[in-house]
Amino acid sequence: MSSPTNVGHPLDASISDALTDLALDMRWSFNHAADRLWEQLDPELWELTHNPWVVLQTVSQEKLRSVTADPDFKKLLTQLQEEKTHDEKSDGWFQKAHPNSGVSTIAYFSMEFMLSQALPIYSGGLGNVAGDQLKAASNLCVPVTGVSLLYQQGYFRQEIDTQGNQQALYPFNDPGQLPIRPVRKPNGEWLRLVLPLPGFELWIRTWQVQVGRARLYLLDTNVPANPPEYRAITTELYGGGPELRLRQELVLGIGGWRLLRALGLQPEVCHLNEGHAAFALLERAGSYMEDSGQNFDVALAVTRAGNLFTTHTPVEAGFDRFPPGMMERYLKKYAEDKLSISFEKLLALGRQNPQDSSEPFNMAYLAIRGSHAVNGVSKLHGQVSRRIFQVLFPRWPEEEVPVTHVTNGVHMPTWDSAGADRVWTLACGKNRWRGALANMLQDVSAVSDSDLWQMRGEGRRILIHYVRRLYTRQSAARGAPTEDLTRAARILDADVLTLGFARRFATYKRPNLLLHDPARLLNILTNREHPVQLVLAGKAHPQDVEGQKMIKEWIEFAQRPEARSRVVFLADYDMLMAEHLVQGVDVWVNTPRRPWEASGTSGMKVLVNGGLNLSELDGWWAEAYSPEVGWAIGDGREHGDDPSWDSTEAESLYALLENEVVPEFYSRDERGISRRWVNRMRASMARLTPIFSANRVVRQYADDCYISAAAAFHRRAEKRGALGTDLVAWQAELTKDWLSLRFGSATVQQTGKQWLFRVQVFLGDMNSDAMSVELYANGENHAGPVIEKMSRGERLTGEETGFTYTALVSATRPTADYTPRLVPQHEAALIPLEAPFILWHDSPTWR
């Protein structure tokens, strides 16, 4: 990458290098101090792009010399350099919390990363989660390395034509204009990977993105040596058909793991952000085979201990599936040559029924069968995921399906406004997001009413000015007449209650629930004493006709004469627009159909800025909501796509706005402050912001997942995989002998205040140490199930493999609640994730 010294008289080398180093480190995307640096170089270009690398390459040498001669600019540049150097060299939260972690690298794979508008390789929620967690890992010094793809076009850009229809545009991502660098070998050669595909060896270029202390590596197939169809593999995100998607996921998973190996990295932990990269688990096992000489089964048993799968999908149909024939073309040779297994064995890893030759290959199933832990992204989504994946664990109770949850959070320094940053810094200190967030609740609770109200008003005013500029520019681009441009420049009011609604337009998100009764909505918006205004944005997938219709409905509503001054739809929703919206709106509205919002993160972003949420009790809001922090619609139950329930919830939404939200905002004291509103702001900021921050998420992953996964991997890998070998032998014994197990009679008697259960068990050919006999009862009052391990007694008379097992439990529940069962047992195995066998006593009649 060239530095900004290639025209005119050269700039001082030290300043040039410092500016280049800062521009190519995306820590500026969450450092407000750096904004002032780039604004001084080119305020207009900075406002439009928020891309320091573009600003630096575009600014004239004359302007550079002038600005960099300013003592204040030099002081700020020096300060930013010193902060960067200090952050890179000092230990952080992770080193202090886990000084002997045994973790050198955590590989984090994701199909997309949302780091900044300057690097448009994202679509929405999945990339938001990945980008925010990578930034938080940098803040906390957690050794996370990201892996993704460099898309030539990324996700589509949206234009709204004069008829209100969405048009999809695909501008080219020029690598020279992106804050990325080629990955170089020590000899300066560009690091290139080779991935065999049918009839051709695919060349893959590699790039790196610096994100503070963390790095993101990007794979790129747009190499001149590749045929056009292979160069196009990394053309666009979520475009094309299943074959393009399969090729992308092969590059991401297999190519991504090979890149890490080529860099000399040996990750103890591999974290899959969705199942797109699940082929990385196969490649990791194959690499271990090469290193240890073990077979595939042992290699998978060893390496899966260090793998974590996070699912974001709330419906079973959302997982990527590939037909067997397509899989055979791309992976048969890989299975046989790289993994030394049959292609059928590879297919079995991605099927519910390995014997069904017509069943497609499911990437989520592969991710589960290759991982040590699986989690959803909210408490409710964990429950939904257990229901979805229960098919892989037949006869296991849904609540024991091995899926936990880690509720998402957002990177607050990315999403807070400059005004909010000042308030938080005064209350909690400059380094508040670099540690464990101790005392944050108390510190924020002490912020004065006037400071919070002033912060909210400032944020709204800045948003209104932004909307006016952007809407005027977009209207002019559509050829709007002069009177419309004049109106656009005056749209909205900086003193009016402002609602925000921005997200992907899809039917399950119900973006038009507010439009259920247009007349009633108009009455709310145009109330003379208590007016309300609404800012909307969002894209519909180019193939989602219904989603595009809903966008057009909103645009037509916004063009009504009576609504024009109170409603605006902004085209081309992206990260930069999202920053402005979440920093300025008073209330964020979200209306998904429960339980199809796995988590949702947009509403979390308003928390740090004092915005409030009015949302369906779904995803994260089902955990976060209480009457003191916001408003909720829904009854906490599932109603499918019942139109009558949509009507009920629309009525609830209107009623909340009319009777609670609007009156509370406009109920002011003698100083013009709504004390009730400010109290709600304070409660939301203090209680929810720390909990729903990416800081908490990354610390939770580190404490609960990464450390234990690394330890389990090390334990299984030592002595050339001795424990992995033992686990494979144990699994083979279960497969061979499980069907020989059976139950005999079962009896119970009361002993004081306890039940004494006895059950006969015939082990057949099974080693008794390989299984456990348990007494099971469903949980009550939202508690977990009761599971009591039964003790083996004497051998049954005349039976070689028959034994009596007993258990004592409290007699507070009837005996009919309890059922004996047999489950696998191994001290190092995760049950049922690694052994889904189970045998229940068929309706025992306790005597």
Side-chain angles (χ1 to χ4, degrees):
M1 290 290 179
S2 61
S3 60
T5 60
N6 48 9
V7 294
H9 298 293
L11 190 68
D12 179 87
S14 62
I15 294 178
S16 174
D17 291 344
L19 287 170
T20 298
D21 190 44
L22 288 175
L24 290 173
D25 185 342
M26 295 191 71
R27 71 192 304 271
W28 51 256
S29 67
F30 50 90
N31 185 337
H32 288 293
D35 292 355
R36 292 185 285 125
L37 197 74
W38 312 116
E39 283 173 344
Q40 291 183 60
L41 293 178
D42 193 327
E44 184 179 5
L45 187 59
W46 170 251
E47 181 187 352
L48 291 172
T49 67
H50 272 224
N51 186 336
W53 186 235
V54 167
V55 170
L56 196 56
Q57 292 186 99
T58 306
V59 67
S60 70
Q61 288 294 306
E62 182 181 357
K63 181 65 177 289
L64 264 177
R65 286 193 297 272
S66 172
V67 171
T68 56
D70 178 23
D72 289 338
F73 186 94
K74 285 185 175 180
K75 181 179 179 181
L76 177 58
L77 179 60
T78 301
Q79 176 187 332
L80 291 170
Q81 284 182 284
E82 291 174 351
E83 287 181 3
K84 184 175 185 294
T85 301
H86 177 268
D87 289 347
E88 290 172 348
K89 292 183 177 180
S90 60
D91 286 343
W93 169 84
F94 184 77
Q95 289 72 29
K96 296 171 184 176
H98 302 285
N100 301 302
S101 66
V103 180
S104 63
T105 305
I106 298 152
Y108 188 105
F109 285 76
S110 183
M111 199 77 165
E112 52 174 305
F113 277 81
M114 180 192 286
L115 293 168
S116 163
Q117 178 60 23
L119 187 59
I121 56 170
Y122 61 85
S123 165
L126 188 71
N128 188 169
V129 167
D132 278 16
Q133 289 181 17
L134 191 64
K135 292 175 183 178
S138 172
N139 292 149
L140 296 165
C141 301
V142 182
V144 175
T145 295
V147 181
S148 192
L149 302 179
L150 178 64
Y151 300 100
Q152 299 160 41
Q153 297 174 345
Y155 199 55
F156 80 95
R157 305 302 297 268
Q158 180 194 57
E159 183 180 88
I160 303 298
D161 65 20
T162 56
Q163 304 302 312
N165 297 309
Q166 172 183 283
Q167 302 298 325
L169 307 175
Y170 295 90
F172 176 66
N173 283 337
D174 179 2
Q177 299 292 301
L178 303 178
I180 62 178
R181 307 183 195 216
V183 178
R184 302 282 184 185
K185 295 181 180 179
N187 63 4
E189 179 185 351
W190 199 338
L191 178 59
R192 186 184 69 213
L193 304 171
V194 176
L195 181 65
L197 291 181
F200 187 80
E201 286 194 337
L202 177 71
W203 286 17
I204 304 172
R205 295 189 301 189
T206 55
W207 305 82
Q208 68 181 27
V209 186
Q210 197 70 39
V211 188
R213 290 182 62 138
R215 282 188 180 179
L216 168 63
Y217 290 100
L218 303 174
L219 298 106
D220 171 19
T221 65
N222 187 24
V223 180
N226 289 331
E229 63 176 309
Y230 285 167
R231 294 184 68 172
I233 289 175
T234 53
T235 295
E236 60 182 289
L237 174 63
Y238 305 138
E243 188 160 13
L244 175 61
R245 180 68 68 88
L246 176 58
R247 289 173 174 177
Q248 289 181 335
E249 296 183 4
L250 288 168
V251 171
L252 176 60
I254 297 176
W257 192 264
R258 290 183 182 180
L259 170 60
L260 296 174
R261 297 265 289 183
L263 293 169
L265 300 176
Q266 295 182 320
E268 294 85 4
V269 180
C270 176
H271 188 166
L272 302 182
N273 191 40
E274 248 319 327
H276 307 120
F279 291 132
L281 309 187
L282 298 179
E283 183 65 19
R284 183 181 190 183
S287 298
Y288 185 81
M289 292 170 66
E290 295 174 359
D291 296 341
S292 67
Q294 291 284 7
N295 62 34
F296 174 77
D297 289 338
V298 173
L300 185 62
V302 170
T303 57
R304 75 177 298 175
N307 298 334
L308 169 64
F309 170 42
T310 297
T311 174
H312 295 252
T313 308
V315 289
E316 197 270 341
F319 299 122
D320 282 347
R321 293 175 175 80
F322 301 111
M326 186 183 297
M327 287 288 296
E328 183 174 13
R329 285 200 308 278
Y330 284 91
L331 284 153
K332 185 175 188 294
K333 186 173 177 61
Y334 177 81
E336 295 172 348
D337 295 351
K338 173 72 176 184
L339 306 180
S340 300
I341 60 174
S342 69
F343 174 64
E344 290 71 23
K345 185 168 183 174
L346 186 150
L347 281 181
L349 292 170
R351 284 175 166 168
Q352 176 187 342
N353 179 8
Q355 277 68 52
D356 183 356
S357 62
S358 65
E359 183 181 343
F361 186 89
N362 187 314
M363 293 295 285
Y365 292 174
L366 171 62
I368 287 177
R369 290 184 173 126
S371 294
H372 192 249
V374 183
N375 71 275
V377 289
S378 69
K379 182 177 181 181
L380 178 59
H381 182 239
Q383 298 169 6
V384 171
S385 297
R386 285 190 286 276
R387 188 187 316 156
I388 291 173
F389 291 125
Q390 190 171 27
V391 295
L392 298 183
F393 305 93
R395 303 202 72 191
W396 279 87
E398 181 180 303
E399 56 196 345
E400 290 189 273
V401 172
V403 180
T404 60
H405 77 276
V406 176
T407 302
N408 282 337
V410 297
H411 186 250
M412 297 301 173
T414 293
W415 301 104
D416 65 354
S417 67
D421 183 42
R422 288 193 297 270
V423 170
W424 282 86
T425 298
L426 287 172
C428 306
K430 181 179 179 181
N431 296 318
R432 58 191 175 276
W433 300 111
R434 296 179 179 274
L437 311 185
N439 302 319
M440 187 170 279
L441 174 62
Q442 296 90 328
D443 293 341
V444 177
S445 297
V447 178
S448 70
D449 287 5
S450 59
D451 284 347
L452 290 177
W453 190 247
Q454 182 178 349
M455 178 191 78
R456 186 82 301 284
E458 177 188 348
R460 190 185 320 108
R461 285 190 293 275
I462 292 172
L463 171 63
I464 300 310
H465 291 313
Y466 165 79
V467 169
R468 289 172 175 174
R469 292 193 305 271
L470 179 60
Y471 190 57
T472 300
R473 191 163 62 243
Q474 292 183 353
S475 298
R478 288 194 291 269
T482 302
E483 59 268 26
D484 285 356
L485 298 182
T486 302
R487 184 163 44 258
R490 298 197 304 266
I491 199 168
L492 306 185
D493 186 328
D495 294 320
V496 167
L497 173 63
T498 304
L499 311 182
F501 186 99
R503 59 193 28 83
R504 181 164 60 90
F505 272 59
T507 52
Y508 81 87
K509 291 181 179 286
R510 297 189 301 181
N512 287 22
L513 193 66
L514 263 174
L515 275 178
H516 187 78
D517 186 342
R520 189 168 178 185
L521 177 60
L522 273 174
N523 287 336
I524 294 171
L525 296 172
T526 59
N527 184 291
R528 285 184 176 274
E529 294 184 4
H530 298 153
V532 179
Q533 56 198 12
L534 178 59
V535 182
L536 302 114
K539 301 176 180 178
H541 191 279
Q543 297 176 1
D544 185 354
V545 176
E546 291 302 314
Q548 294 178 53
K549 286 181 180 178
M550 290 187 285
I551 290 176
K552 187 170 184 178
E553 287 175 17
W554 266 118
I555 292 172
E556 291 174 346
F557 177 82
Q559 290 175 343
R560 292 187 182 189
E562 61 269 44
R564 281 182 177 179
S565 64
R566 291 284 176 251
V567 183
V568 60
F569 186 98
L570 299 176
D572 200 28
Y573 183 46
D574 60 15
M575 185 175 179
L576 184 56
M577 186 188 296
E579 289 178 21
H580 285 284
L581 294 181
V582 301
Q583 291 169 6
V585 300
D586 298 300
V587 178
W588 194 262
V589 180
N590 190 21
T591 54
R593 181 171 284 117
R594 178 181 169 118
W596 293 354
E597 182 95 301
S599 171
T601 55
S602 58
M604 299 176 186
K605 298 166 191 169
V606 305
L607 299 174
V608 71
N609 297 296
L612 300 173
N613 280 272
L614 193 174
S615 180
E616 175 74 31
L617 286 170
D618 194 13
W620 78 282
W621 193 238
E623 299 172 47
Y625 170 71
S626 67
E628 300 81 18
V629 299
W631 300 272
I633 60 172
D635 60 0
R637 293 183 289 184
E638 299 174 22
H639 298 270
D641 55 359
D642 180 4
S644 65
W645 183 250
D646 290 347
S647 299
T648 298
E649 293 206 318
E651 165 64 31
S652 175
L653 187 57
Y654 295 136
L656 280 171
L657 289 169
E658 293 164 340
N659 302 325
E660 296 187 35
V661 179
V662 176
E664 186 172 302
F665 180 81
Y666 286 106
S667 176
R668 311 290 174 83
D669 65 7
E670 67 280 359
R671 296 182 58 194
I673 298 175
S674 172
R675 300 292 175 177
R676 290 172 58 199
W677 192 275
V678 169
N679 287 338
R680 200 183 293 268
M681 282 175 57
R682 182 183 290 107
S684 172
M685 292 173 69
R687 298 183 197 176
L688 303 185
T689 309
I691 296 173
F692 296 99
S693 68
N695 170 292
R696 186 272 306 160
V697 175
V698 171
R699 286 187 294 109
Q700 186 176 352
Y701 274 125
D703 291 341
D704 299 348
C705 303
Y706 295 156
I707 298 299
S708 58
F713 168 70
H714 283 305
R715 185 181 174 203
R716 291 191 184 189
E718 64 185 11
K719 299 179 182 177
R720 291 186 63 251
L723 181 54
T725 302
D726 182 65
L727 283 165
V728 170
W730 166 74
Q731 290 170 327
E733 180 184 2
L734 292 175
T735 301
K736 179 173 67 74
D737 297 333
W738 190 261
L739 291 179
S740 67
L741 295 170
R742 63 183 178 88
F743 281 107
S745 63
T747 62
V748 63
Q749 66 184 73
Q750 188 163 6
T751 304
K753 296 182 179 181
Q754 291 183 305
W755 297 119
L756 174 61
F757 291 92
R758 290 188 178 89
V759 62
Q760 296 178 348
V761 178
F762 298 89
L763 302 179
D765 298 323
M766 181 69 70
N767 183 333
S768 62
D769 293 335
M771 44 71 66
S772 175
V773 184
E774 297 175 344
L775 198 61
Y776 176 93
N778 290 323
E780 292 184 320
N781 301 319
H782 305 291
V786 175
I787 301 174
E788 188 73 27
K789 187 171 182 178
M790 304 188 77
S791 301
R792 190 175 75 175
E794 296 181 356
R795 190 188 309 270
L796 295 174
T797 303
E799 297 289 344
E800 184 176 347
T801 64
F803 296 87
T804 297
Y805 284 77
T806 61
L808 273 171
V809 299
S810 171
T812 54
R813 296 181 60 173
T815 59
D817 286 0
Y818 295 92
T819 304
R821 68 182 190 178
L822 301 177
V823 298
Q825 173 180 273
H826 192 291
E827 63 172 356
L830 290 174
I831 311 298
L833 192 60
E834 296 184 284
F837 301 96
I838 192 168
L839 177 65
W840 295 89
H841 196 296
D842 291 331
S843 302
T845 302
W846 298 111
R847 300 192 301 275

